[in-house]
Amino acid sequence: MSTTVRTPLVQTKLPTVGTTIFTVMSGLAAARGAVNLGQGFPDFDCDPRLVQAVTDAMARGLNQYPPMPGVPLLREAVAAKIRALHGPHNGRDYDAASEITVTAGATQAIITAILAVVHPGDEVIVLEPCYDSYVPNIELAGGTVVRVPLTPGTFRPDFDRIAAAINAKTRAILINSPHNPSATVWTRDDMLKLQEILAPTDVLLISDEVYEHMVYAPAEHQSVARFPGLAARAFIISSFGKTYHVTGWKVGTVAAPAPLTAEFRKVHQFTVFTVNTPMQYGLAAYMADPRPYLELPAFYQRKRDLFREGLARTRFKLLPSEGSYFQCVDISAVSDLNEAEFCKWLTTEIGVAAIPLSAFYGDGFDQGVVRFCFAKKDETLNLALERLAKL
């Protein structure tokens, strides 16, 4: 007697989620031999001293589980960095033992913060366009996504709309500065306005600051840590992968007041539990020298300027790039295709991959803008510019 073998059907928790645009465009770029300026990762190596620091940690036998919140040396280094950068601006002083947690990248940090504080029925505000993990994370927690658009064209926060979206069900708001995908940077006045709006509420704040060290003069990174009224209610998320050109290492941090950190760690310990040990020791040793992150703005500003100078010779209209390693352009003078179709055409016919901004909106809002990543070797950027010159 035979029985039919079958896989049980599963009711999906994320019915609207498919393959991300980043995977689609990177795959198309590889298939067509295009220069991939779509997905946001460097194509150059990190500092050899950082690799050596990790190698040394491995050789010393530091290969077993570290403490659940992270290696104390690394948490202390992170707390000291926040103190040095933001303390002179009335910033919060974080306790390394109870207020800093090492995570398996910033994406894990974001979902862990959401799972820790969002209950079914809670509303969470996201500002669109936004990084693609935010909405699925909220949905997995049983929360309701409330989408508030940044101002089209400028991508500045619309505080009237943010204030109007807050009600008794609002549990949290996610912000991101420097911003992916638009490359805008929130100002001190922006932060003060948000602080004013949130002051009479119990709304929590999740601040995605992974591009904190990629801010270009005259702009300055205004971390939530600098504003007591925001810091007291915030999870501040950062990324070693972005800062030190090691995106594949997937190591990040969360700074939050002790009561919030306690809830965060309850979820953290039962998801990843802890994070790669030798990487943590290597990063702690490397952070003894602040120059790599202090010099990062100049490093990327030179690449940004090289790329913008080349793009200025095309028919693209350049939008400001105040921070991050992204450059957005208006394609309206180049093509009447929608953003997604234009990016496919650009990849297949011109040989350069980009990302449509419509992919960062829940409703696919199309404003004729696409995003390039300039975290690439000069020869990569020059090759892309040579191809884009046809436009």
Side-chain angles (χ1 to χ4, degrees), residues 27-370:
L28 185 59
R32 298 289 182 152
V35 180
N36 189 356
L37 302 188
Q39 198 164 2
F41 61 87
D43 69 345
F44 47 83
D45 291 332
C46 67
D47 188 339
R49 294 180 301 156
L50 179 54
V51 175
Q52 189 60 53
V54 174
T55 303
D56 291 345
M58 290 181 178
R60 288 165 53 204
L62 299 170
N63 299 303
Q64 306 307 323
Y65 291 129
M68 178 271 289
V71 167
L73 284 173
L74 183 55
R75 286 184 280 137
E76 289 162 7
V78 170
K81 187 190 82 165
I82 294 173
R83 189 178 306 118
L85 293 178
H86 306 304
H89 302 270
N90 196 35
R92 183 185 178 96
D93 190 359
Y94 290 88
D95 176 68
S98 63
E99 299 185 322
I100 303 289
T101 307
V102 181
T103 62
T107 302
Q108 183 247 315
I110 294 166
I111 190 171
T112 301
I114 290 170
L115 290 173
V117 301
V118 175
H119 298 264
D122 286 347
E123 294 185 358
V124 182
I125 296 170
V126 299
L127 308 180
E128 288 191 316
C130 65
Y131 181 58
D132 65 346
S133 82
Y134 296 174
V135 168
N137 290 177
I138 296 163
E139 292 173 345
L140 285 170
T144 299
V145 178
V146 176
R147 304 172 189 270
V148 175
L150 296 167
T151 304
T154 66
F155 302 100
R156 306 308 311 179
D158 185 332
F159 289 108
D160 289 339
R161 297 189 70 163
I162 292 171
I166 294 174
N167 59 59
K169 293 183 179 180
T170 307
R171 183 59 174 157
I173 178 172
L174 280 92
I175 67 171
N176 173 212
S177 178
H179 185 246
N180 175 21
S182 74
T184 54
V185 173
W186 283 35
T187 66
R188 175 175 170 79
D189 285 345
D190 290 334
M191 290 296 189
L192 289 172
K193 183 63 177 177
L194 181 64
Q195 182 171 254
E196 177 187 337
I197 290 170
L198 297 183
T201 77
D202 288 326
V203 174
L204 297 171
L205 176 61
I206 300 171
S207 183
D208 179 351
E209 302 185 16
V210 298
Y211 299 101
E212 60 179 318
H213 299 298
M214 303 167 205
V215 178
Y216 312 121
E220 182 180 5
H221 177 53
Q222 298 293 335
S223 174
V224 163
R226 294 186 176 187
F227 303 88
L230 295 178
R233 67 178 72 234
F235 298 93
I236 301 175
I237 294 164
S238 189
S239 165
F240 292 113
K242 293 292 194 296
T243 299
Y244 293 137
H245 320 309
V246 287
T247 58
W249 288 14
K250 296 300 292 178
V251 184
T253 60
V254 173
L260 297 183
T261 294
E263 293 304 313
F264 181 92
R265 290 178 179 176
K266 288 179 184 179
V267 178
H268 177 77
Q269 70 179 333
F270 293 117
T271 50
V272 296
F273 176 59
T274 191
V275 177
N276 189 301
T277 301
M279 297 297 190
Q280 291 194 58
Y281 279 102
L283 286 163
Y286 190 68
M287 286 184 72
D289 180 2
R291 287 178 299 175
Y293 61 79
L294 293 178
E295 295 172 357
L296 198 61
F299 172 82
Y300 272 123
Q301 185 164 348
R302 189 191 64 78
K303 288 187 178 294
R304 181 201 67 169
D305 293 347
L306 168 69
F307 191 50
R308 285 176 64 87
E309 182 181 349
L311 288 177
R313 294 192 287 270
T314 71
R315 288 180 292 149
F316 288 129
K317 177 185 175 183
L318 277 67
L319 277 63
S321 177
E322 300 170 335
S324 80
Y325 47 45
F326 300 117
Q327 173 65 57
C328 290
V329 299
D330 184 320
I331 65 172
S332 57
V334 177
S335 173
D336 58 3
L337 292 172
N338 66 40
E339 293 171 1
E341 290 302 317
F342 175 81
C343 287
K344 291 176 183 176
W345 174 83
L346 191 71
T347 304
T348 57
E349 301 300 325
I350 304 299
V352 179
I355 297 290
L357 250 67
S358 55
F360 297 86
Y361 287 89
D363 62 358
F365 175 58
D366 193 304
Q367 54 199 310
V369 175
V370 303

